[in-house]
């Protein structure tokens, strides 16, 4: 992702540049433990997805923000809106993979925020039903595994 980001700054913005920048931000937040720099880098990706030519990357950037970046410097509750918007954007463009990620991390972050299993189970059951209705095979399968794991707690 670093190379893609560097090439984009050197030669111009490509369609997947916002996603590459967001992934680079994830590396800063997690691997480098630099939440402040991660937020600064992420702002570039957030600005790009506001452009029409990069709107297809909106779901991915917002999901990464909510799942892997924001919680390093903000309360888990601050991740709800980006994950909800990421899930909506993914549904609109038919990105079942990132729709599943956004729904999963939203449910998980609600649990981290409240410490209660019942809201987590309720959110995950609803998300699983929605993913199955949309025939999102792999995402539904992964959600089902996590839901069963949590039921077994």
């Amino acid at each position: 992702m670093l190379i893609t980001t560097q090439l984009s700054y050197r030669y111009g913005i490509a369609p997947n540049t916002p996603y590459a920048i967001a992934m680079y931000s994830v590396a800063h937040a997690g691997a480098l433990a630099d939440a402040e720099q991660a937020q600064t880098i992420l702002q570039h990706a957030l600005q790009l997805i506001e452009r029409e030519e990069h709107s297809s990357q909106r779901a991915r950037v917002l999901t990464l923000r909510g799942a892997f970046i924001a919680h390093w410097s903000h309360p888990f509750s601050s991740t709800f809106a980006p994950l909800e918007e990421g899930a909506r954007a993914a549904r609109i463009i038919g990105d079942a993979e990132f729709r599943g990620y956004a729904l999963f991390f939203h449910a998980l972050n609600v649990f981290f925020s409240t410490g209660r299993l019942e809201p987590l189970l309720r959110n995950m059951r609803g998300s699983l039903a929605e993913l199955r209705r949309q025939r999102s095979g792999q995402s539904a399968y992964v959600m089902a595994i996590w839901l069963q794991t949590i039921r077994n707690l």
Side-chain angles (χ1 to χ4, degrees), residues 13-108:
I13 306 298
N16 70 334
T17 295
Y19 176 66
I21 292 170
M23 286 297 295
Y24 185 54
S25 180
V26 168
H28 266 275
L32 301 176
D34 189 350
E36 185 177 327
Q37 184 65 22
Q39 291 292 337
T40 300
I41 294 167
L42 181 65
Q43 291 309 307
H44 296 284
L46 293 171
Q47 290 170 355
L48 286 173
I49 61 172
E50 295 305 318
R51 297 181 186 176
E52 181 64 33
E53 66 268 25
H54 299 295
S55 61
S56 66
Q57 299 296 304
R58 184 175 190 75
R60 292 174 178 241
V61 170
L62 292 174
T63 299
L64 291 173
R65 177 187 187 191
F68 301 111
I69 301 166
H71 72 276
W72 290 99
S73 57
H74 298 88
F76 274 105
S77 59
S78 72
T79 68
F80 300 168
L83 289 167
E84 290 165 0
E85 178 59 26
R88 274 192 295 276
R91 185 186 71 234
I92 290 168
I93 65 168
D95 188 340
E97 178 184 9
F98 271 79
R99 176 128 174 97
Y101 294 151
L103 293 171
F104 171 76
F105 280 103
H106 182 273
L108 194 62

Side-chain angles (χ1 to χ4, degrees), residues 80 83 101-114 116 119-125 127 143 150:
F80 300 168
L83 289 167
Y101 294 151
L103 293 171
F104 171 76
F105 280 103
H106 182 273
L108 194 62
N109 288 357
V110 167
F111 169 70
F112 290 148
S113 185
T114 66
R116 296 178 41 228
L120 173 62
L121 289 168
R122 187 174 46 252
N123 282 343
M124 290 187 95
R125 280 193 296 264
S127 296
M143 183 72 76
I150 293 164

